[in-house]
Amino acid sequence: MENWEGSGMIAKGIGIILLFVFILVLALVLLIRENFQRIARVKLEEDKVRLEHKQKLLEANVQVQEQERTRIAADIHDILIGKLTVLKIKNEIGYEELESNKLIKECITVARQLSHDLSLPMLKYASLEELISEILVPWKSVFSIQFRTDIRSDAALSDTVKIQLTRIIQELITNIVKHAEATEIVIHLRHTEKILLLHLYDNGIGFDTNGKAKGLGIKNIEFRTDYINAHYKMRSAPGKGTSYLIVLKESEFEK
């Protein structure tokens, strides 16, 4: 009798243990399932955010291109065509050859600048330093420009990084021409193994950064820096010029 009761207790104990193990395994399976579902939901949400971000970048890129086309068209109309019209009138009424040559030279300068804005020559084979030097040439007749370089690395930069940084320089100079009333521009390019730093300063009238809304030029610059994952800062104050700083980390050099 005692043996039978002992066997029954053992069987009951085994049953309880098996039930406990079953519940534990079931809970573990449910936990793993919930964890996989949570990971899947997070991944879907990340994919959705990534897709929305990509869409916004594409839309912003289209907007930037349209704004640049509009700016270039305005430059052609207001500057180049204006000078050619003056030259035509002077040619019709009689003109000084020296004055005519001056106007032709100005037209060539404007056309060269517009050409640089539309396409960067030898992009794949030129360094960022060479590209910046090239686009500064036409502006040296307008501003006193100092271009300082501190190149301590031969680390390659992607075409995307080079063209976006070059476009940023063009956009900054355009802003200076339109708003700064500056006479001097200082550009400092520093490239090391770990970091690329681009600093531009003008001695113009400056402005209150807290009270002035961002114009399209500044928004374009912010888009371009975001596009290459660079850090961007601007400092200005009335009467103290404006300073722009763009910093790119090594991990983004070839993206």
Side-chain angles (χ1 to χ4, degrees):
M1 188 73 169
E2 290 179 357
N3 289 337
W4 181 85
E5 290 178 351
S7 298
M9 291 295 291
I10 291 172
K12 186 177 180 180
I14 292 173
I16 292 172
I17 292 172
L18 290 175
L19 179 63
F20 177 76
V21 170
F22 173 76
I23 293 172
L24 185 63
V25 170
L26 180 62
L28 185 60
V29 169
L30 292 174
L31 183 63
I32 292 173
R33 180 184 175 188
E34 175 61 26
N35 190 48
F36 273 116
Q37 289 178 340
R38 183 182 62 81
I39 292 173
R41 287 195 300 270
V42 170
K43 189 176 185 305
L44 284 173
E45 187 64 27
E46 288 178 348
D47 290 342
K48 181 181 177 181
V49 171
R50 193 178 296 112
L51 185 62
E52 290 176 351
H53 179 64
K54 184 178 181 180
Q55 183 64 31
K56 288 180 180 178
L57 283 178
L58 289 172
E59 291 174 357
N61 190 29
V62 170
Q63 184 182 18
V64 167
Q65 289 181 13
E66 289 303 317
Q67 289 164 357
E68 287 188 345
R69 289 189 182 100
T70 301
R71 176 178 66 80
I72 291 170
D75 286 346
I76 291 173
H77 181 272
D78 298 339
I79 303 176
L80 187 57
I81 293 178
K83 291 183 181 297
L84 290 172
T85 301
V86 171
L87 182 60
K88 178 178 178 294
I89 293 171
K90 288 183 176 293
N91 186 48
E92 290 173 349
I93 64 175
Y95 60 92
E96 291 286 339
E97 184 177 351
L98 197 60
E99 189 175 356
S100 176
N101 289 337
K102 180 182 177 183
L103 280 170
I104 291 172
K105 185 178 179 181
E106 289 175 357
C107 289
I108 292 171
T109 299
V110 172
R112 183 183 292 117
Q113 182 59 48
L114 292 173
S115 175
H116 289 167
D117 287 350
L118 288 168
S119 63
L120 297 174
M122 303 296 286
L123 176 65
K124 287 185 177 295
Y125 308 101
S127 66
L128 179 61
E129 178 183 1
E130 291 169 333
L131 291 172
I132 294 175
S133 295
E134 181 72 15
I135 66 171
L136 292 178
V137 171
W139 294 111
K140 289 184 177 179
S141 61
V142 181
F143 301 101
S144 170
I145 297 180
Q146 298 181 50
F147 181 34
R148 304 168 182 169
T149 59
D150 182 10
I151 309 300
R152 305 183 186 185
S153 169
D154 57 359
L157 298 173
S158 69
D159 290 350
T160 300
V161 167
K162 288 192 290 186
I163 195 168
Q164 294 304 325
L165 289 175
T166 306
R167 296 301 190 204
I168 286 171
I169 292 289
Q170 290 174 322
E171 194 73 56
L172 289 175
I173 293 177
T174 299
N175 283 349
I176 292 170
V177 171
K178 290 181 177 178
H179 308 295
E181 300 179 22
T183 59
E184 181 180 346
I185 297 174
V186 178
I187 300 172
H188 184 202
L189 173 66
R190 185 181 186 191
H191 186 191
T192 70
E193 294 291 341
K194 299 294 183 182
I195 202 167
L196 186 146
L197 181 147
L198 187 61
H199 179 240
L200 184 146
Y201 165 79
D202 71 67
N203 68 341
I205 59 175
F207 60 94
D208 183 358
T209 55
N210 295 320
K212 186 173 181 178
K214 294 179 181 177
L216 290 178
I218 297 299
K219 290 180 180 178
N220 288 350
I221 293 166
E222 290 179 349
F223 162 74
R224 293 186 186 282
T225 52
D226 287 344
Y227 186 69
I228 58 174
N229 294 321
H231 298 281
Y232 165 73
K233 286 185 179 180
M234 176 182 66
R235 290 183 180 178
S236 187
K240 295 186 178 180
T242 306
S243 175
Y244 305 88
L245 180 66
I246 296 100
V247 179
L248 190 70
K249 294 182 179 179
E250 174 195 15
S251 57
E252 308 299 331
F253 283 1
E254 296 191 34
K255 288 189 176 181

